[in-house]
Amino acid sequence: MPRPRKPGRHRRPEPVTAPEGAPSLVLAVPGQPSSASRGLAEEVVSIARAELPGLDARVAFAEGADNDEEFPALAGVLAQVAAAERGGEAGAEWPPAVVVPLLTSPGSAHGEVIRQAVSDSGTGAAVTDVLGPHPLLAEAVHVRLSEAGLARADRARLFTVATAADGIVLAAVGGEEAVKAAGITGMLLSARLAVPVLAAALDQEGAVAETANKLLESGSQQLALAPCAIGPELPEGLLKSAATEAGCAASEPLGAYPAVGKLVLSAYMTELGINPQQPGAPLR
């Protein structure tokens, strides 16, 4: 008969759950609302809920409409959360809600729209920083490149991809501030792929093509455009036109890659000062 397992350092840790009275996580989706962006956002919050059972996570749209059940406006969702908080659903030591922008880069107009909407709501909700830069974003970009046949999935495997790029333009939305942040993710991506990576502003005319020329001048011959963006923040057709202008193929936006959901949850917990190992206790 197997002996009973004794407690000790090899014991499986207790499952992590949301602290009692924790505020709602409101995922703020930028850009023009659409069925695609709603589906993506619901996948992201589903990942966050799976990582932290008991989490109250909701989707709101920075450019949504009042009384629109399909694409609820951020201000309306915050008002609902605040009303529930007054009813005793949230702890007094925390804000009524924590808004996490579904953005990887700082500096974009989308971030300002989200912050202004939270401020105008008068609910006292908190707003986190954007999700990048972060090593998990480099991982996600790598996966999207490999899915498009533009990079090897694993450097340890001894095979080559005929279409693999030897130079990557990492495109972000948000001007120079976004480029600076994407540059950090780009260094991590370069280490993963062992090819040069340069960041460029996708929302600045000619910036992607100019960056592509720099890579070509430095010796790269086959380029790829990789968006360091989740998707809803990209105007329709912008990625395709930038790739055409630069004369290279492009991978897909990050979308609901699992790392995105984990980063959303991490931003929420960091804002509340909650230790991921002991979610019920604020950090001191």
Side-chain angles (χ1 to χ4, degrees), residues 153 269 280:
M269 297 182 77

Side-chain angles (χ1 to χ4, degrees), residues 76-101:
V77 172
L78 290 177
Q80 292 175 0
V81 170
E85 188 271 340
R86 287 193 294 271
E89 290 187 10
E93 71 273 23
W94 283 315
V98 174
V99 177
V100 181

Side-chain angles (χ1 to χ4, degrees), residues 205-219:
E205 186 175 356
V208 170
E210 181 180 347
T211 304
N213 287 333
K214 289 180 180 178
L215 286 168
L216 293 172
E217 290 170 359
S218 67

Side-chain angles (χ1 to χ4, degrees), residues 173-274:
V173 175
E176 292 304 316
E177 190 176 356
V179 170
K180 186 176 180 179
I184 300 173
T185 301
M187 288 189 292
L188 300 170
L189 180 64
S190 179
R192 294 177 68 96
L193 299 177
V195 301
V197 178
L198 293 179
L202 192 59
D203 51 345
Q204 287 186 350
E205 186 175 356
V208 170
E210 181 180 347
T211 304
N213 287 333
K214 289 180 180 178
L215 286 168
L216 293 172
E217 290 170 359
S218 67
S220 297
Q221 297 180 346
Q222 189 159 313
L223 306 182
L225 175 61
C228 187
I230 297 170
E233 73 273 42
L234 299 177
E236 186 175 356
L238 179 61
L239 181 61
K240 183 177 180 180
S241 62
T244 300
E245 186 179 356
C248 63
S251 59
E252 293 294 322
L254 305 183
Y257 185 73
V260 174
K262 292 179 180 180
L263 286 174
V264 166
L265 180 60
S266 176
Y268 167 85
M269 297 182 77
T270 299
E271 181 66 31
L272 296 180
I274 297 174

Side-chain angles (χ1 to χ4, degrees), residues 83-169:
E85 188 271 340
R86 287 193 294 271
E89 290 187 10
E93 71 273 23
W94 283 315
V98 174
V99 177
V100 181
L102 191 59
L103 295 167
T104 58
S105 304
S108 74
H110 295 300
E112 292 302 316
V113 169
I114 290 171
R115 289 188 176 276
Q116 190 62 51
V118 174
S119 177
D120 291 346
S121 73
T123 59
V127 187
T128 73
D129 291 332
V130 295
L131 306 181
H134 196 279
L136 286 177
L137 292 179
E139 171 194 307
V141 174
H142 183 178
V143 170
R144 293 297 183 238
L145 283 166
S146 65
E147 289 173 347
L150 300 172
R152 290 178 294 175
D154 187 347
R155 285 182 58 192
R157 297 177 185 172
L158 300 179
F159 69 90
T160 59
V161 177
T163 56
D166 59 2
I168 308 291
V169 179

Side-chain angles (χ1 to χ4, degrees), residues 42-69:
E42 288 176 343
E43 286 189 56
V44 170
V45 297
S46 177
I47 294 167
R49 291 190 190 107
E51 291 287 320
L52 188 66
L55 172 68
D56 177 25
R58 313 185 186 200
V59 174
F61 294 84
E63 299 180 20
D66 294 333
N67 302 318
D68 189 333
E69 294 185 1

